[in-house]
Amino acid sequence: MNSKNHNLIDVDNAIYDLRRGASVVVDDLKKSFAVVSVELLTQERLDAFAIAGNGNVQLILTGNRLQALGLDISPQHAYSVVCPGGFNVELISLLSNPLTSAKSQKAFQEHLQNIAITQADHLAQSCLSLSKLARLLPAVVLVDMSNDVALPCVSPDSINAYASNAASALTLVSEARVPLDSAEHAKVLAFRPQYGGIEHLAIVIGDIDVNLPVLIRLHSECFTGDLLGSLRCDCGSQLRGAIDVMAKNGSGILLYLAQEGRGIGLVNKLRAYQLQDVGHDTVDANLQLGFDSDERNYAPAVAMLQLLGVSQVKLMTNNPTKVAALTAWGVDVTERVPHAYPANPHNEHYLKTKVEKSGHLISI
């Protein structure tokens, strides 16, 4: 087993621990932090953390989250928030979760004079990145730990390299013929990183000639749109429409990427929907939660194309970012194929936001 695979296992274990409410030790050999997610934090756990850290508890938040709270601060960094009088879970929830603080701006302003905010170091930033990988709110509580504590730990370098390491470790693990309504000559291929991780799928329509540009679509999974037929987005229409077009074309590949909610996960996407229901658009809702407007990573798509022997593509998308991402990874995008569907009363504002704030090439 090489070092990259060891690192993948370390981060996967840390993700599991963070999601079940356990503490994780992040160690760069010079300094160590014990980290817990704010989502599963209880007052009892917070008090124990404060004792372990001699009272020096830090709350790590993204610049996006602090901007959403009204602070004039760079969104490009993570920040350490310290409360000299001590944190309680209510204050942490107020600072980290917009669904508890949407009506509490005045309460936040009252607390503002009692907290200190500084730019977080690289180690604290990696703790926040781990929370994002775990599909939890991007907010963590941490305390300093002694370097000689005999606990399993994960390095910041392993966390920061996780996405690229997982993509490069993808292997084809299973495939089967799956006739579809509009494409009977279809099969589904499953790819998984060696030694565990999230699966990504490829829906292959017809017989692929890799000597010619292949019609493809990068489709991020959308439980609500793809499976339930939600009218809040256009994902279901794009999924089924892409398969229809590929069948009529004679062949094509749809890469079904495990990046729900533009990479924030299903639970956080539902939180974003709650924020949209009180007036935020699809971009602002993500920023309110502390995420970037788009957290997706297209390295898995590139790795899957390489494993399928595809180097030239005709990309079905309205999103120039996808074209740029594939091109940057060395994929020859010979053509962008528009892939838009009519709006409905529930997703019209969503589609307008994609045009106005995310640069999508759609005529509304």
Side-chain angles (χ1 to χ4, degrees), residues 30-287:
K30 297 178 182 177
K31 184 166 61 173
S32 298
F33 285 135
V35 187
V36 292
S37 166
V38 298
E39 284 200 41
L40 300 164
L41 191 64
T42 64
Q43 189 63 51
E44 182 181 9
R45 168 59 66 85
L46 180 60
D47 291 343
F49 243 51
I51 293 171
N54 295 317
N56 298 317
V57 176
Q58 299 181 59
L59 171 65
I60 310 299
L61 298 172
T62 67
N64 285 326
R65 177 62 194 144
L66 289 171
Q67 272 199 345
L69 287 168
L71 297 182
D72 183 13
I73 209 161
S74 170
Q76 304 302 318
H77 302 292
Y79 292 88
S80 169
V81 181
V82 175
C83 184
F87 281 114
N88 58 47
V89 291
E90 289 79 13
L91 177 56
I92 288 173
S93 180
L94 172 71
L95 294 172
S96 61
N97 188 344
L99 295 173
T100 59
S101 62
K103 298 180 180 179
S104 304
Q105 187 69 21
K106 182 179 178 181
F108 169 70
Q109 294 298 333
E110 293 173 355
H111 285 293
L112 187 58
Q113 60 185 348
N114 298 320
I115 62 176
I117 301 173
T118 57
Q119 187 172 322
D121 62 20
H122 80 285
L123 190 60
Q125 172 72 66
S126 70
C127 297
L128 206 55
S129 298
L130 182 64
S131 187
K132 286 186 176 184
L133 290 172
R135 301 293 189 261
L136 299 168
L137 281 173
V140 294
V141 171
L142 54 83
V143 295
D144 288 297
M145 292 285 289
S146 170
N147 285 90
D148 58 2
V149 173
L151 292 172
C153 62
V154 60
S155 75
D157 289 343
S158 296
I159 295 169
N160 296 332
Y162 180 82
S164 60
N165 285 346
S168 64
L170 281 174
T171 58
L172 176 62
V173 294
S174 181
E175 63 178 283
R177 184 179 63 86
V178 183
L180 305 175
D181 280 343
S182 59
E184 289 192 25
H185 187 15
K187 60 182 178 179
V188 176
L189 288 70
F191 298 83
R192 182 195 298 144
Q194 288 181 313
Y195 302 102
I198 297 173
E199 291 91 357
H200 302 276
L201 305 174
I203 302 171
V204 179
I205 309 298
D207 296 318
I208 304 300
D209 185 350
V210 297
N211 296 309
L212 298 173
V214 177
L215 183 64
I216 73 164
R217 172 161 175 76
L218 312 185
H219 189 91
S220 299
E221 67 181 359
C222 177
F223 171 80
T224 50
D226 297 342
L227 185 62
L228 302 183
S230 169
L231 298 176
R232 296 187 75 131
C233 63
D234 57 345
C235 299
S237 298
Q238 289 190 317
L239 172 64
R240 286 177 281 278
I243 293 172
D244 290 346
V245 171
M246 290 174 184
K248 292 173 183 175
N249 178 70
S251 65
I253 301 172
L254 187 142
L255 300 180
Y256 197 77
L257 305 172
Q259 301 190 127
E260 179 88 39
R262 297 199 300 275
I264 68 174
L266 178 58
V267 171
N268 287 316
K269 184 177 81 169
L270 295 177
R271 290 174 172 142
Y273 280 176
Q274 288 181 266
L275 292 169
Q276 290 171 34
D277 285 342
V278 295
H280 297 285
D281 63 40
T282 184
V283 169
D284 287 339
N286 278 26
L287 300 178

